[in-house]
Amino acid sequence: MQELQVLLVAGTHGNEINPPWLFDQWSQQFDLINNHGLHIKKVLGNPDALKVCKRYIDRDLNRSFTKELLDDTSCKDHEVMRARELLHLHGPSGIDPSQVVVDLHTTTAAMGSSIVIYGRRSLDLALAGLLQARLGLPIYLHEGDDTQKGFLVECWPCGIVIEIGPVAQGLLSAKIVDKIKIIVEILFEELAKIKSGLVNLPKQFVVHRHLESIDFPRDMMGRCDAILHPSLLDKNWFPLLFGQYLFVKSDGKSINFEGEGNPIPVFINEAAYAEKNIAMSLTQKEIIVFSRDWQVDLRHLCLFNS
Amino acid sequence: MQELQVLLVAGTHGNEINPPWLFDQWSQQFDLINNHGLHIKKVLGNPDALKVCKRYIDRDLNRSFTKELLDDTSCKDHEVMRARELLHLHGPSGIDPSQVVVDLHTTTAAMGSSIVIYGRRSLDLALAGLLQARLGLPIYLHEGDDTQKGFLVECWPCGIVIEIGPVAQGLLSAKIVDKIKIIVEILFEELAKIKSGLVNLPKQFVVHRHLESIDFPRDMMGRCDAILHPSLLDKNWFPLLFGQYLFVKSDGKSINFEGEGNPIPVFINEAAYAEKNIAMSLTQKEIIVFSRDWQVDLRHLCLFNS
């Protein structure tokens, strides 16, 4: 029987330098993070982008795991090649396979620590729910968004993103590193419990499911002509109220929220999303009830080869 | 008689995007900033780097204005070519000459707004002193540092840097844009007073003169193995006390200040300086007494061609 292996990825975006720095330190001090007896495989997602402190070389690695790109042998983009390599080496059917992947990211948005999952796979939901029960982290459920796809974690049977902020690109922060350490350790602890069959599933948990993304206001030439309103910057995870300031122009005039339903914004002010025409994403709260089947699915994850 | 022209530069570093954004808005709303009747020439320092949101393409433009590089015709680095072009177009002897240059920068360091001058040229000191008298901005006097030279403003008869922070690279911030607007307008007002001979020189002002820069702690492989201590991040312009935390390692151990003389740190946590091996720079306060001669120098600046 092959044992469960967890793939821990840092530096999928080369300008998110805190998780890779922690990897580096951890390699030199093996007891820096308690692995709770698990087999952990650490890997840098995009080491070449990390060397030049850029999000990516040719295209966003964390949008390169689509079937189309992976199968298109004519595509030699750096990140698509790297996506294939990561799957070849560490994918669920790779040379040194992992069954669970945790992809460590940072954000410039002041949204604290959170979990991101893509779609409603039971294993992702279960793992995210367990982590929320331990640490209270909000969960951003990204679904139904055709403009953003091909995320790394989707190529493994179970995979979540840990997103920690706010921290600028290219800056090391002791507070951010501490948060990563704590979350990763608790995650290992929960995975070890799953493996040993001792996991205690909560009854329910809360997700913020993706509704839509909002672009910056633009002039007739397509240039961004307003900035996020300062009063909004620390309002990730807070419902938008009708009339609330969203953007401000250079002459001080504001552009206000006039939508309905009090959606909840996330990723307000993520620097990397400007090129994706995303000023923020809007979500809605939803309660997910744990299913008994998930416990069975989790057991299967750990006994995949028996 | 040729009239005084002020060259205002934004985007000398392509990932400091707030000043260029303000330029863009100002081009569309001519009354956004009051020019107090001055001839202002706006220019983007490094438009190609700005397009890709990188500090530079080949090398730091704001270290490329050394005589050696400018004269070395074999050097075709993007930024050296651009430095020559800027001088050819807008230099004091250029096609469309300016006599005063103001280079607008942002920093990731939480040091608020400040003025940077390079060496003790009377015109720079006078202009910085006037701006301090109006707005209370601290002045970082960079001198005696052979590792950092070739700054843009040094190639004009009078030139200062306005440094505004903290803001992450690649992020627009309404607060930062507001600060730039205010400072630039007051600067124009003071320059207009100089031009009309109505300027009121204060008796003295304070500079923080450069002593040395401190690198991050490094392991035997030369890799940075400690991060700036969180308690230090908001302590720009505050004297360091013996024993004060400077850095923290991944295991939580701190590295403390054990130097003498209570130097005053600046540029704590400037992301762009990591590659320059600068974790912060240390300075010492000095009082500069206004010289009567400077008033004459200032008049000459405005009457250079009469």
Side-chain angles (χ1 to χ4, degrees), chain A residues 85-297:
Chain A
E85 185 178 44
L86 284 169
L87 286 167
H88 177 68
L89 294 173
H90 309 294
S93 310
I95 292 169
D96 180 16
S98 290
Q99 298 74 43
V100 178
V101 62
V102 178
D103 193 13
L104 301 172
H105 287 256
T106 60
T107 174
T108 63
M111 54 196 279
S113 306
S114 62
I115 304 161
V116 188
I117 58 175
Y118 302 90
R120 298 180 184 240
R121 303 191 302 183
S122 61
L123 290 172
D124 302 349
L125 285 165
L127 189 56
L130 282 168
L131 204 52
Q132 183 174 87
R134 284 294 302 275
L135 291 169
L137 303 184
I139 299 166
Y140 173 39
L141 167 57
H142 190 265
E143 66 178 3
D145 180 5
D146 284 341
T147 65
Q148 303 294 327
K149 51 189 180 177
F151 297 92
L152 182 148
V153 299
E154 295 181 282
C155 283
W156 276 257
C158 173
I160 63 172
V161 159
I162 304 295
E163 190 75 67
I164 300 181
V167 65
Q169 297 167 350
L171 266 187
L172 289 177
S173 157
K175 286 185 183 172
I176 295 290
V177 168
D178 270 352
K179 287 180 185 174
I180 304 169
K181 269 172 68 179
I182 291 166
I183 293 170
V184 166
E185 237 177 46
I186 297 285
L187 188 64
F188 289 166
E189 196 181 335
E190 288 306 308
L191 283 164
K193 284 188 202 160
I194 291 170
K195 197 178 148 199
S196 62
L198 294 173
V199 72
N200 186 17
L201 293 181
K203 290 214 174 88
Q204 59 184 41
F205 60 100
V206 176
V207 299
H208 287 77
R209 81 177 169 85
H210 177 86
L211 297 174
E212 62 176 319
S213 293
I214 295 184
D215 191 9
F216 288 91
R218 293 184 187 274
D219 64 18
M220 285 185 302
M221 306 279 284
R223 293 171 303 199
C224 158
D225 71 351
I227 301 181
L228 285 160
H229 197 282
S231 67
L232 190 68
L233 296 184
D234 58 355
K235 295 291 187 295
N236 287 284
W237 312 111
F238 288 89
L240 284 178
L241 306 178
F242 189 89
Q244 188 172 338
Y245 295 144
L246 289 184
F247 301 99
V248 61
K249 296 200 159 213
S250 56
D251 59 7
K253 289 196 188 109
S254 67
I255 295 166
N256 307 339
F257 178 66
E258 294 180 350
E260 291 181 348
N262 306 113
I264 298 170
V266 296
F267 286 105
I268 301 171
N269 220 28
E270 167 49 51
Y273 288 178
E275 68 172 27
K276 298 183 198 293
N277 295 354
I278 298 175
M280 72 192 87
S281 293
L282 301 183
T283 70
Q284 192 170 48
K285 258 193 200 182
E286 179 178 334
I287 291 171
I288 305 272
V289 178
F290 260 94
S291 156
R292 276 188 183 275
D293 297 343
W294 295 359
Q295 193 120 21
V296 180
D297 296 343

Side-chain angles (χ1 to χ4, degrees), chain B residues 9-291:
Chain B
V9 188
T12 295
H13 294 133
N15 53 10
E16 299 175 5
I17 66 173
N18 287 274
W21 187 81
L22 181 60
F23 272 25
D24 202 30
Q25 297 301 305
W26 188 14
S27 299
Q28 294 164 55
Q29 302 173 61
F30 296 107
D31 60 350
L32 193 61
I33 297 176
N34 184 346
N35 66 12
H36 289 273
L38 290 175
H39 286 262
I40 308 292
K41 180 80 196 175
K42 298 199 297 283
V43 66
L44 291 177
N46 200 340
D48 291 324
L50 187 63
K51 270 179 213 143
V52 292
C53 198
K54 280 179 64 174
R55 185 170 172 93
Y56 55 79
I57 307 291
D58 291 327
R59 63 162 73 221
D60 193 334
L61 175 60
N62 205 27
R63 304 292 185 279
S64 296
F65 286 81
T66 62
K67 190 169 184 320
E68 295 74 28
L69 282 171
L70 294 170
D71 288 350
D72 176 7
T73 49
S74 71
C75 178
K76 306 287 186 204
D77 284 357
H78 181 270
E79 278 74 18
V80 177
M81 304 282 277
R82 179 62 177 152
R84 291 178 193 135
E85 185 178 43
L86 284 169
L87 285 168
H88 177 68
L89 295 173
H90 310 293
S93 312
I95 293 170
D96 180 17
S98 290
Q99 296 73 43
V100 178
V101 62
V102 177
D103 193 14
L104 301 172
H105 286 256
T106 60
T107 174
T108 64
M111 54 197 277
S113 306
S114 61
I115 304 162
V116 187
I117 57 175
Y118 302 90
R120 296 179 184 240
R121 303 192 301 182
S122 60
L123 291 171
D124 302 350
L125 285 165
L127 189 56
L130 282 168
L131 204 52
Q132 183 176 87
R134 282 296 300 274
L135 291 168
L137 303 184
I139 299 167
Y140 174 38
L141 166 58
H142 189 267
E143 65 178 3
D145 180 5
D146 285 340
T147 66
Q148 304 293 325
K149 50 189 181 179
F151 297 92
L152 182 147
V153 298
E154 294 181 284
C155 283
W156 277 259
C158 173
I160 64 172
V161 159
I162 304 294
E163 189 75 68
I164 300 182
V167 64
Q169 297 166 350
L171 267 185
L172 289 176
S173 157
K175 286 186 185 173
I176 296 291
V177 168
D178 271 351
K179 287 180 184 174
I180 304 170
K181 268 173 67 179
I182 292 166
I183 294 170
V184 166
E185 237 177 45
I186 297 286
L187 188 63
F188 290 167
E189 197 180 335
E190 288 305 308
L191 283 164
K193 284 189 204 160
I194 291 171
K195 198 178 148 200
S196 62
L198 294 173
V199 71
N200 186 16
L201 293 182
K203 289 217 176 83
Q204 59 183 41
F205 60 101
V206 176
V207 299
H208 286 75
R209 79 178 170 84
H210 178 84
L211 296 174
E212 62 174 322
S213 293
I214 294 184
D215 191 10
F216 287 92
R218 295 187 184 271
D219 65 15
M220 285 184 303
M221 307 279 284
R223 293 171 304 201
C224 158
D225 71 350
I227 300 180
L228 285 159
H229 197 282
S231 67
L232 190 68
L233 296 183
D234 58 356
K235 295 292 186 296
N236 288 284
W237 312 110
F238 288 90
L240 284 178
L241 307 178
F242 190 89
Q244 188 172 338
Y245 296 145
L246 289 183
F247 302 99
V248 60
K249 297 199 157 214
S250 56
D251 59 7
K253 289 196 187 106
S254 67
I255 295 166
N256 306 339
F257 177 65
E258 295 179 351
E260 290 181 349
N262 307 115
I264 297 170
V266 296
F267 285 106
I268 301 171
N269 221 27
E270 165 50 51
Y273 288 178
E275 69 173 25
K276 299 185 198 290
N277 296 352
I278 297 175
M280 73 192 84
S281 293
L282 301 184
T283 70
Q284 193 171 44
K285 258 194 199 178
E286 180 178 332
I287 291 173
I288 305 271
V289 178
F290 260 93
S291 157

